[in-house]
Amino acid sequence: MKKTLLEETKIGDFLSTGCEADEEEIGLYIASADVSASCGFKYDEWENFVNAVNKANKKYKEILK
């Protein structure tokens, strides 16, 4: 059974994202006016993905200072 982790959420003028989980993986999708993409992550891959995004976000914030 799929569980919604993030309802479809507008994150820009023409960009939205959402996330669902089932027994085997977590699915992430991003959609824009031009293109959409989705990716399925095993649970350990999801943890690695989130850690990598958080690391990139931290470096991005340091650049903005």
Side-chain angles (χ1 to χ4, degrees), residues 5-21:
L5 302 178
L6 178 66
E7 295 283 341
E8 185 173 337
T9 302
K10 186 175 178 180
I11 58 173
D13 290 338
F14 301 102
L15 191 61
S16 62
T17 189
C19 192
E20 295 179 330

Side-chain angles (χ1 to χ4, degrees), residues 5-62:
L5 302 178
L6 178 66
E7 295 283 341
E8 185 173 337
T9 302
K10 186 175 178 180
I11 58 173
D13 290 338
F14 301 102
L15 191 61
S16 62
T17 189
C19 192
E20 295 179 330
D22 63 23
E23 296 84 23
E24 296 183 22
E25 66 181 22
I26 296 174
L28 173 70
Y29 69 89
I30 299 173
S32 72
D34 299 331
V35 68
S36 65
S38 62
C39 188
F41 297 86
K42 300 292 183 196
Y43 287 108
D44 60 333
E45 294 171 333
W46 177 256
E47 289 295 324
N48 293 335
F49 173 75
V50 170
N51 289 336
V53 169
N54 287 338
K55 184 177 180 180
N57 191 50
K58 182 179 177 183
K59 287 190 178 209
Y60 172 70
K61 287 180 178 181
E62 289 171 2

